Amino acid sequence: MSLTCWATDSIHGVEENEGHSWVSEMLQLPLVVTAQVDLLLVLVSLLAFWTRLSHLSYPNAVVFDEVYYGQFVSLYMKRVFFIDDSGPPLGHMILAFGAYLGGFDGNFVWNRIGAEYPTTVNVWSLRLLPALCGALCVPLVYLLTLELKFSHLSALGAAVLLLLENSLIVQSRFMLLESVLIFFVLLAFFSYLRFHNAPSSYSLLSSWSRYIWLILSGVSCGAVVGVKYMGLFSYLLLLVVASLHTWKLIGDKTISHRNVCVQCVHRVLCLVVVPVLLYVFWFYVHLSFLNRSGPHDQLMSSAFQASLQGGLSRITRGQPLEVAYGSQVTLRSSVSQPIPCWLHSHKVNYPIRYDNGRGSSHQQQVTCYPFKDVNNWWIIKDPGRQQLVVDTPPRPVRHGDVIQLVHGMTSRFLNSHDVAAPMSPHTQEVSGYIDFNVSMPAQNLWRVDISNREAESEVWKTILSEVRLVHVNTSAVLKLSGVPLPDWGFRQLEVVADKLFKAHSSSLEWTVEEHRYGTSQEQKEREAELHSPTHIDVDRKISFWAKFVELQWKMLTVKQEESEHKYSSSPLEWITMETNIAYWLHSSTNAQIHLIGNPVSWGVGNLSLLAYQLLAVVYLLRRRRGLKDVPDGVWDQFVCLGCVCVGGWLVNFVPFLLMDKTLFLYHYLPALCYLYLLSPALLEHAHTHLLSSLTHQRALCVGALAVLLSIFLTYRTFCPLTYGSPELSAHQLQGLKWRDTWDILYRRR
């Protein structure tokens, strides 16, 4: 009995040991955490935070483009809608989040560079997030160099170049977006290369940790495009690099077909689908949060405006949805250029003869007026009936119906005929018809063409429908030409009827904005009615996708006026840093801050770019002749370096050569970072693979140390212009004017 019990206990013990062994294998017991600390990485990170974050609240005044971005931050704090044609909303949201952390309520007038911040504004908080992003760029460059498979010494060199670059420090320390953009670009490339270089593993945990880097790269790409549209070019470059790696993966016959398909799908999902979804998400947050009427409302359609609290929504709330015969309406042109306006008429006729001698119909003027006015009201009339009131129940106007438009205040019919328009003689005049008993009969029938209809019997809807009014007699379309009329037309905008129109031109489309059902047949009663609208409660909404598409179009087509700026420059001037920007000048002393780069490191970057291109040409020619100067693995490393660094410089510089807009030196900073990434790596390549003599290698090292020392001394020299302190004398400031083209400001005492 005891033997049996012993055997049973032994069996249970074996099973228990097997269970423990299985659990231990699953949990990798014992759990051991091994930490490796890269002291060089820690050191450059601490120095980066010190150079970017120390005395961040100084100066306590608006610095250069803070006057621009601050306006949008205030609008975010007040949840007021705005359009910034320079970029998507993520950058503004990041700046606004920093302001929110500091308790900023938006109550500050951003109208002047140098204006002092009141004590109620937490300046440190406003500038915190750009400074953090700028500081994190330094360790990211270090890590990115390692992922490009260069040594820790090269990584340290790249980090030091970014660390001691005066222009990057200046741009990081204020409420600006370049440091945020550069941070996400570097993070995207680092994450992707970390994924690419990580060994494939069948372990679930290792596989997931590898793909987390790919997901992070996709998220960073979405952030890059979400901060500034210029980030799109760096994103496309990353896609090209990823495509080349994927193409090589497809050709690897050691990997199964199934595994290849799975990896390709993962790359597409993470690097294409995720960034696109995030880009849409930034706008979803933007449009959901900014739900109040603001200064840019009139650039948007009536439907968009009506979706915002206040503004047009206060006027249009509860309006009838369906336009009917007898409806009183205002017709807004769908085009926002040169300015939004409404179809208008007044008791003034066209002159008998224009200044150039051409004659007119001398009928009542019809224009487009950029202000709300009682003369913007028109009545939709059934040509077969005389009444100007809405039936009970209302008879809706549908696509294809023929109508007449009667001006509410003057009772003139909207008319067109074969008479040249006053400012656009190739088109027809549009007028309010007056019968002068001459051979000029009324031609006042218009066919309703709903361009965004979903069905042929679509009802004309308030705000939602975009309508073309086609003149029945001549087939011309009512159009806003946008040309201002002379003094006799009160400088209002010309309206014409055009036969030779472009099919998709928004200048042909009109939207019913304000709408009420007319109840007064008599003219005087109707005039009183036009001043006191009635409402019928109808709920009307516009979808997010409709707002998203409209906002995208407006951001691409509505450009703010470009004006020449004292510190604007051309891209070719950036390479040799022939220009600078005075960011801030103390009101009474010589303390000042300038965007000036480190001239030594700037020159090193340019020389590295030139050296890489020359070396690449030599390598390619010799490899074409069958001469391989470096092993294939080193060649692949050299090519990858060029794709990322030289390619990154090109995509962030060349587009500016093609842009017709005001440009500044800070636009060059993303491209400059790629050169700083290139320089130490190229130096290591030359030291390891080109110089065989120990003497030459030592000479190269001594030269590199001398250059680094020069970079540090130059950084220290320009620190007073980077941080705004200490204050320098006029003589000392003159000594910092290393180029005649630099604009250094000083007061003589």
Side-chain angles (χ1 to χ4, degrees):
M1 184 70 179
S2 60
L3 181 62
T4 305
C5 290
W6 176 86
T8 305
D9 290 342
S10 298
I11 292 170
H12 284 305
V14 170
E15 289 178 349
E16 186 175 350
N17 288 337
E18 287 179 352
H20 282 307
S21 175
W22 179 79
V23 172
S24 299
E25 184 178 349
M26 289 296 293
L27 296 178
Q28 300 292 316
L29 294 176
L31 296 175
V32 177
V33 177
T34 304
Q36 290 184 338
V37 179
D38 188 336
L39 294 180
L40 288 178
L41 178 60
V42 173
L43 177 63
V44 295
S45 300
L46 292 176
L47 289 174
F49 282 105
W50 179 71
T51 56
R52 270 68 176 175
L53 290 171
S54 61
H55 304 291
L56 194 59
S57 298
Y58 180 82
N60 188 45
V62 178
V63 174
F64 200 62
D65 270 355
E66 284 187 337
V67 75
Y68 176 76
Y69 291 111
Q71 299 175 48
F72 300 127
V73 169
S74 287
L75 292 174
Y76 257 111
M77 295 298 101
K78 298 177 180 180
R79 305 189 67 174
V80 171
F81 173 75
F82 66 85
I83 296 178
D84 177 20
D85 65 336
S86 67
L90 178 61
H92 298 305
M93 287 193 282
I94 290 173
L95 297 181
F97 181 65
Y100 170 77
L101 293 177
F104 181 56
D105 59 5
N107 291 320
F108 179 75
V109 180
W110 307 85
N111 59 358
R112 181 173 58 87
I113 297 174
E116 291 288 328
Y117 287 114
T119 55
T120 55
V121 175
N122 189 333
V123 182
W124 187 85
S125 174
L126 290 177
R127 297 169 178 170
L128 174 63
L129 295 183
L132 285 175
C133 289
L136 290 171
C137 288
V138 176
L140 269 177
V141 160
Y142 182 96
L143 294 170
L144 181 53
T145 304
L146 296 180
E147 293 304 324
L148 288 169
K149 300 182 179 178
F150 289 90
S151 67
H152 285 79
L153 200 57
S154 292
L156 177 63
V160 168
L161 286 175
L162 249 74
L163 178 69
L164 301 180
E165 173 50 49
N166 299 73
S167 61
L168 290 175
I169 295 174
V170 170
Q171 201 69 15
S172 300
R173 288 174 55 82
F174 302 109
M175 193 173 56
L176 309 170
L177 288 180
E178 272 64 36
S179 62
V180 180
L181 174 65
I182 294 170
F183 165 74
F184 282 120
V185 167
L186 294 175
L187 182 60
F189 274 98
F190 163 69
S191 303
Y192 172 74
L193 290 176
R194 188 66 175 264
F195 158 79
H196 175 72
N197 294 333
S200 299
S201 173
Y202 292 102
S203 167
L204 183 62
L205 183 61
S206 299
S207 178
W208 267 109
S209 64
R210 180 170 179 255
Y211 278 100
I212 284 173
W213 289 111
L214 185 63
I215 295 170
L216 179 58
S217 180
V219 171
S220 301
C221 289
V224 164
V225 182
V227 171
K228 279 198 170 188
Y229 281 130
M230 272 306 299
L232 176 65
F233 297 105
S234 291
Y235 170 51
L236 294 176
L237 175 65
L238 189 144
L239 286 183
V240 169
V241 173
S243 299
L244 293 175
H245 289 159
T246 305
W247 185 250
K248 187 175 181 179
L249 173 74
I250 293 172
D252 188 349
K253 295 183 180 179
T254 63
I255 304 176
S256 67
H257 298 321
R258 177 178 174 275
N259 198 8
V260 167
C261 291
V262 168
Q263 292 203 43
C264 289
V265 169
H266 286 165
R267 284 164 168 79
V268 171
L269 287 176
C270 293
L271 297 181
V272 178
V273 176
V274 168
V276 170
L277 292 178
L278 280 176
Y279 179 79
V280 175
F281 177 71
W282 309 140
F283 279 94
Y284 178 80
V285 174
H286 178 74
L287 292 171
S288 299
F289 191 76
L290 304 185
N291 59 358
R292 295 176 181 170
S293 175
H296 296 164
D297 289 10
Q298 287 198 338
L299 297 175
M300 310 306 293
S301 69
S302 300
F304 196 110
Q305 292 183 56
S307 69
L308 302 173
Q309 296 178 13
L312 182 64
S313 65
R314 290 184 299 179
I315 301 172
T316 59
R317 186 181 297 115
Q319 289 186 155
L321 176 62
E322 296 183 348
V323 177
Y325 292 103
S327 286
Q328 299 169 355
V329 300
T330 62
L331 291 165
R332 183 183 188 268
S333 172
S334 294
V335 68
S336 298
Q337 296 292 330
I339 49 176
C341 62
W342 292 263
L343 189 66
H344 177 93
S345 188
H346 42 241
K347 290 184 179 180
V348 180
N349 296 352
Y350 290 110
I352 297 176
R353 291 202 174 274
Y354 302 125
D355 293 340
N356 59 8
R358 289 191 300 110
S360 77
S361 66
H362 195 47
Q363 294 185 3
Q364 185 167 298
Q365 295 176 16
V366 172
T367 65
C368 206
Y369 189 51
F371 301 98
K372 299 286 187 181
D373 189 86
V374 71
N375 281 312
N376 296 345
W377 286 94
W378 299 81
I379 302 170
I380 310 295
K381 179 181 177 298
D382 183 346
R385 305 175 66 179
Q386 293 301 316
Q387 67 183 46
L388 297 176
V389 296
V390 175
D391 293 336
T392 304
R395 289 189 302 124
V397 180
R398 299 180 182 275
H399 169 74
D401 286 357
V402 175
I403 64 169
Q404 291 174 313
L405 283 165
V406 181
H407 188 241
M409 298 300 291
T410 64
S411 298
R412 300 296 182 190
F413 285 75
L414 186 70
N415 188 79
S416 186
H417 38 218
D418 192 17
V419 175
M423 309 305 294
S424 306
H426 58 284
T427 59
Q428 293 177 187
E429 177 191 84
V430 174
S431 64
Y433 183 72
I434 303 174
D435 188 0
F436 288 119
N437 266 337
V438 294
S439 56
M440 191 175 286
Q443 299 181 37
N444 53 29
L445 299 179
W446 301 85
R447 187 175 67 255
V448 176
D449 181 6
I450 303 176
S451 58
N452 62 341
R453 64 186 180 278
E454 297 179 357
E456 288 303 312
S457 60
E458 178 100 1
V459 174
W460 188 358
K461 296 184 179 67
T462 306
I463 292 178
L464 303 178
S465 297
E466 294 178 354
V467 171
R468 296 178 184 176
L469 296 172
V470 182
H471 192 234
V472 172
N473 298 78
T474 63
S475 298
V477 179
L478 189 71
K479 174 183 174 181
L480 169 65
S481 75
V483 181
L485 296 171
D487 291 339
W488 54 256
F490 309 102
R491 297 291 172 181
Q492 297 176 17
L493 302 181
E494 180 189 44
V495 173
V496 301
D498 193 0
K499 295 180 181 178
L500 305 174
F501 55 86
K502 294 181 180 179
H504 301 289
S505 174
S506 58
S507 60
L508 304 169
E509 295 171 348
W510 302 83
T511 303
V512 170
E513 188 171 88
E514 296 178 65
H515 177 209
R516 55 180 152 247
Y517 284 161
T519 58
S520 302
Q521 181 69 28
E522 297 299 324
Q523 177 65 23
K524 289 194 176 297
E525 294 176 0
R526 188 164 60 245
E527 290 179 10
E529 185 180 16
L530 290 175
H531 288 91
S532 55
T534 57
H535 300 304
I536 300 174
D537 290 332
V538 177
D539 186 28
R540 180 167 56 254
K541 294 182 179 179
I542 179 173
S543 70
F544 160 72
W545 290 108
K547 295 172 73 173
F548 173 76
V549 171
E550 180 179 347
L551 184 55
Q552 296 300 300
W553 178 248
K554 295 298 182 184
M555 291 175 67
L556 292 173
T557 57
V558 177
K559 297 297 180 184
Q560 298 177 2
E561 283 190 22
E562 297 287 346
S563 57
E564 193 64 26
H565 194 282
K566 178 181 180 181
Y567 292 107
S568 63
S569 53
S570 68
L572 295 178
E573 292 176 315
W574 303 340
I575 297 176
T576 54
M577 202 165 58
E578 294 181 15
T579 182
N580 71 304
I581 304 176
Y583 268 18
W584 170 79
L585 175 66
H586 194 278
S587 58
S588 59
T589 72
N590 276 328
Q592 55 193 281
I593 294 175
H594 287 256
L595 185 72
I596 294 180
N598 188 315
V600 178
S601 53
W602 211 280
V604 168
N606 291 334
L607 287 175
S608 300
L609 177 64
L610 181 61
Y612 182 93
Q613 293 170 328
L614 292 175
L615 188 57
V617 170
V618 172
Y619 275 160
L620 288 171
L621 290 175
R622 289 177 61 82
R623 290 177 76 86
R624 185 63 177 168
R625 297 297 298 169
L627 302 172
K628 294 187 176 181
D629 300 286
V630 294
D632 288 339
V634 175
W635 171 250
D636 291 341
Q637 181 193 41
F638 182 80
V639 171
C640 183
L641 178 68
C643 288
V644 173
C645 298
V646 179
W649 181 83
L650 287 172
V651 300
N652 282 278
F653 176 73
V654 173
F656 287 113
L657 296 172
L658 309 176
M659 291 184 184
D660 182 22
K661 61 178 291 186
T662 304
L663 299 174
F664 298 92
L665 180 63
Y666 57 72
H667 286 120
Y668 186 61
L669 296 182
L672 183 68
C673 290
Y674 287 101
L675 297 187
Y676 289 167
L677 188 63
L678 172 68
S679 302
L682 187 61
L683 192 67
E684 179 185 333
H685 178 86
H687 179 274
T688 307
H689 303 290
L690 297 183
L691 302 179
S692 56
S693 168
L694 184 60
T695 303
H696 292 163
Q697 290 179 343
R698 288 176 176 173
L700 184 63
C701 292
V702 171
L705 288 174
V707 170
L708 283 176
L709 180 60
S710 299
I711 289 173
F712 174 74
L713 293 176
T714 307
Y715 157 75
R716 290 291 301 167
T717 300
F718 284 94
C719 270
L721 298 183
T722 300
Y723 295 97
S725 64
E727 178 194 352
L728 301 181
S729 66
H731 178 71
Q732 290 173 313
L733 288 171
Q734 282 182 316
L736 292 180
K737 192 173 183 179
W738 287 17
R739 299 187 68 101
D740 293 336
T741 52
W742 288 358
D743 186 19
I744 306 294
L745 310 172
Y746 54 87
R747 293 182 173 89
R748 295 187 183 275
R749 296 182 180 177

